[in-house]
């Protein structure tokens, strides 16, 4: 007969475990996580169990099993290496109407321990006819799908509230964090940036309202004030709002402004950091932003206004004097002015530069140059945003890596 699956709430209830070997080592932590009061009976225990005992989390009676040990238990796990002991414990538990799990004999066991996993408040338990490896494989597949949001796990009784500022990463949809994807799967409303991983939006349920908050350079743009209003407005309607951004919300993502707007309106905010393109895109192009003996610092700069513009707060002379790596965002349209400023303030004309367009995406491409030639090369190659500009000797490290790779290809 198929087992009847039931979730036991063991908080404060006595659970007896007989046997202190590897099976007990696997099962006792899960029992403790469920709040059980665990009594362990065994002449010896594994080092991992010894740690739990020393921490006062498990009551250990250092002796063999005796008749009467099952008294007062709500659940019994017997997992010794001696079949006769396991049989005796199971018989006592059966006589006293206590559920008993036998690790050595699934057919003689009154209950089975499923392969279990947890993602937030969702518990997964799988039995597979007593085949633990098969059950574990199925469990892993389900847990993985819950973690990456490919299974619709939206809450209905207790829904999340407020706004989640989610960093979507540098572009490749596989680079969003697990937490970010989970919250995206729970959303009632998604307010998405132009640089957010758009492929993830196709996976949203049809009833999710999608608001395009794109800021196209020199084109159509939704003002930040309007975005703030939309977040507050929808959250006040009781909807769970995900603000999906490219990169990280707090790295030139105006996440701080949106968080302040929500805080002023009394809206709870969850922040999910994302992988910033400032590090991820150079990495995807094979360029480390730091490298031992080459660069022990890197500077991330937003060049939404050119050097010399009264609105700029960037210390361009200081960056020119620095030997560190420069990572320049929103810099393609102003690359000529940037190069001129760095050269004027002391950077060598031979400083290596790489410009990476569409980093981490299938359309990724890179242009290499020097500081004296980069403006001309970018114009000739027709490089367009989004692109990351890398300035510094680490570009040569990336080229060395590429040469080594090429030499090893048969």
């Amino acid at each position: 007969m198929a087992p009847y699956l039931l979730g036991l709430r063991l908080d404060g209830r006595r659970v007896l475990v007989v046997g202190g070997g590897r099976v007990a080592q696997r099962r006792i932590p899960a029992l403790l996580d469920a709040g059980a009061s665990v009594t362990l009976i065994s002449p010896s225990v594994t080092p991992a169990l010894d740690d739990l005992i020393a921490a006062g989390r498990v009551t250990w009676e250092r002796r063999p099993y005796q008749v009467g040990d099952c008294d007062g238990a709500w659940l019994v796990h017997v997992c010794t290496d001696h079949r006769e002991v396991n049989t005796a414990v199971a018989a006592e538990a059966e006589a006293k109407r206590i559920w008993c799990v036998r690790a050595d004999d699934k057919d003689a066991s009154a209950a089975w321990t499923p392969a279990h996993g947890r993602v937030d408040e969702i518990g997964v338990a799988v039995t597979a006819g007593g085949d633990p490896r098969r059950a574990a494989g199925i469990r892993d597949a389900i847990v993985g799908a819950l973690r990456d949001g490919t299974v619709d796990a939206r809450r209905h009784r207790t829904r999340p509230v407020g706004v989640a500022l989610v960093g979507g990463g540098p572009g490749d949809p596989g680079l969003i964090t697990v937490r970010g994807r989970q919250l995206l799967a729970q959303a009632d409303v998604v307010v998405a940036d132009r640089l957010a991983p758009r492929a993830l939006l196709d996976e949203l349920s049809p009833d999710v309202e999608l608001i395009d908050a794109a800021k196209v350079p020199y084109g159509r743009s939704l003002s930040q004030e309007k975005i703030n209003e939309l977040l507050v407005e929808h959250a006040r309607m009781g909807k769970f709002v995900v603000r999906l951004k490219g990169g990280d919300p707090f790295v030139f993502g105006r996440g701080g402004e949106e968080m302040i707007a929500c805080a002023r309106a009394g809206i709870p905010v969850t922040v999910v950091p994302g992988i910033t393109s400032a590090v991820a895109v150079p990495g995807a192009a094979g360029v480390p932003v730091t490298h031992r003996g080459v660069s022990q610092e890197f500077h991330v700069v937003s060049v939404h206004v050119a050097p010399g513009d009264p609105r700029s707060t960037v210390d361009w002379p200081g960056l020119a004097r620095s030997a560190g790596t420069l990572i320049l965002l929103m810099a393609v349209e102003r690359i000529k002015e940037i190069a001129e400023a760095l050269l004027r303030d002391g950077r060598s004309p031979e400083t290596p530069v790489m410009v990476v367009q569409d980093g981490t995406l299938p359309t990724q491409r890179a242009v290499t140059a020097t500081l004296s030639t980069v403006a001309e090369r970018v114009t000739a190659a027709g490089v367009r945003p989004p692109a990351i500009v890398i300035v510094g000797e680490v570009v040569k490290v990336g080229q060395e890596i590429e040469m080594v790779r090429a030499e090893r290809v048969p």
Side-chain angles (χ1 to χ4, degrees), residues 77-97:
H77 282 265
V78 57
C79 41
T80 77
D81 294 330
H82 306 287
R83 183 174 180 82
E84 64 276 12
V85 174
N86 296 343
T87 301
V89 175
E92 180 187 352
E94 183 74 15
K96 294 176 178 177
R97 297 187 176 182

Side-chain angles (χ1 to χ4, degrees), residues 312-365:
S312 176
T313 61
V314 178
D315 180 9
W316 288 104
L319 293 178
R321 291 191 299 270
S322 167
T325 306
L326 306 185
I327 307 297
L328 309 178
L329 313 182
M330 295 174 275
V332 169
E333 299 292 338
R334 286 165 284 278
I335 192 64
K336 185 174 185 294
E337 295 94 322
I338 294 166
E340 289 173 349
L342 292 173
L343 290 169
R344 181 177 60 249
D345 291 317
R347 276 267 179 161
S348 167
E350 300 305 313
T351 302
V353 181
M354 177 181 286
V355 183
V356 186
Q357 178 180 322
D358 294 340
T360 78
L361 297 175
T363 52
Q364 173 179 311
R365 63 174 179 138

Side-chain angles (χ1 to χ4, degrees), residues 39 93 104 116 171 180 202 241 243 280 307 317 379 389 401:
T39 297
D104 66 330
H116 59 85
D202 292 338
V241 184
R243 175 72 169 108
T379 300
V389 179
I401 292 170

Side-chain angles (χ1 to χ4, degrees), residues 74-358:
W74 292 76
L75 176 67
V76 174
H77 282 265
V78 57
C79 41
T80 77
D81 294 330
H82 306 287
R83 183 174 180 82
E84 64 276 12
V85 174
N86 296 343
T87 301
V89 175
E92 180 187 352
E94 183 74 15
K96 294 176 178 177
R97 297 187 176 182
I98 303 169
W99 291 107
C100 178
V101 181
R102 283 187 65 163
D104 66 330
D105 191 336
K106 69 180 181 66
D107 295 321
S109 184
W112 293 344
T113 299
H116 59 85
R118 180 162 293 278
V119 179
D120 293 332
E121 77 284 1
I122 300 174
V124 175
V126 180
T127 61
D131 184 338
R133 288 190 178 181
R134 185 184 183 202
I138 297 169
R139 180 271 319 276
D140 291 344
I142 296 171
V143 167
L146 285 168
R147 283 179 174 159
D148 65 22
T150 55
V151 168
D152 185 356
R154 283 186 293 172
R155 298 177 178 91
H156 295 283
R157 289 188 177 181
T158 56
R159 303 176 63 81
V161 296
V163 172
L165 303 179
V166 175
D172 182 341
L175 295 178
I176 189 173
T177 64
V178 170
R179 183 61 174 159
R181 195 150 189 174
Q182 288 172 353
L183 292 181
L184 189 61
Q186 296 284 336
D188 299 306
V189 179
V190 175
V191 182
D193 273 353
R194 180 178 69 95
L195 298 181
R198 311 297 290 186
L200 295 178
L201 303 180
D202 292 338
E203 300 175 4
L204 296 175
S205 177
D207 61 341
V208 175
E209 182 178 354
L210 177 60
I211 298 174
D212 186 354
K215 290 185 173 71
V216 180
Y218 313 107
R220 183 176 59 83
S221 178
L222 193 63
S223 72
Q224 188 60 51
E225 291 73 18
K226 182 61 178 178
I227 294 172
N228 296 349
E229 291 174 9
L230 288 169
L231 298 178
V232 171
E233 174 188 339
H234 286 283
R236 279 179 169 166
M237 293 168 61
K239 297 178 179 179
F240 179 51
V241 184
V242 169
R243 175 72 169 108
L244 182 62
K245 298 171 169 289
D248 181 273
F250 290 167
V251 180
F252 305 120
R254 296 196 171 184
E257 297 176 44
E258 293 165 357
M259 197 169 188
I260 289 171
C262 290
R264 285 174 175 164
I267 304 297
V269 177
T270 300
V271 177
V272 181
I275 300 173
T276 174
S277 60
V279 175
V281 169
V287 178
V289 295
T290 63
H291 191 76
R292 186 161 58 94
V294 177
S295 174
Q296 60 182 8
E297 61 180 304
F298 67 98
H299 307 264
V300 181
V301 181
S302 168
V303 198
H304 59 281
V305 293
D309 190 296
R311 295 168 294 173
S312 176
T313 61
V314 178
D315 180 9
W316 288 104
L319 293 178
R321 291 191 299 270
S322 167
T325 306
L326 306 185
I327 307 297
L328 309 178
L329 313 182
M330 295 174 275
V332 169
E333 299 292 338
R334 286 165 284 278
I335 192 64
K336 185 174 185 294
E337 295 94 322
I338 294 166
E340 289 173 349
L342 292 173
L343 290 169
R344 181 177 60 249
D345 291 317
R347 276 267 179 161
S348 167
E350 300 305 313
T351 302
V353 181
M354 177 181 286
V355 183
V356 186
Q357 178 180 322
D358 294 340

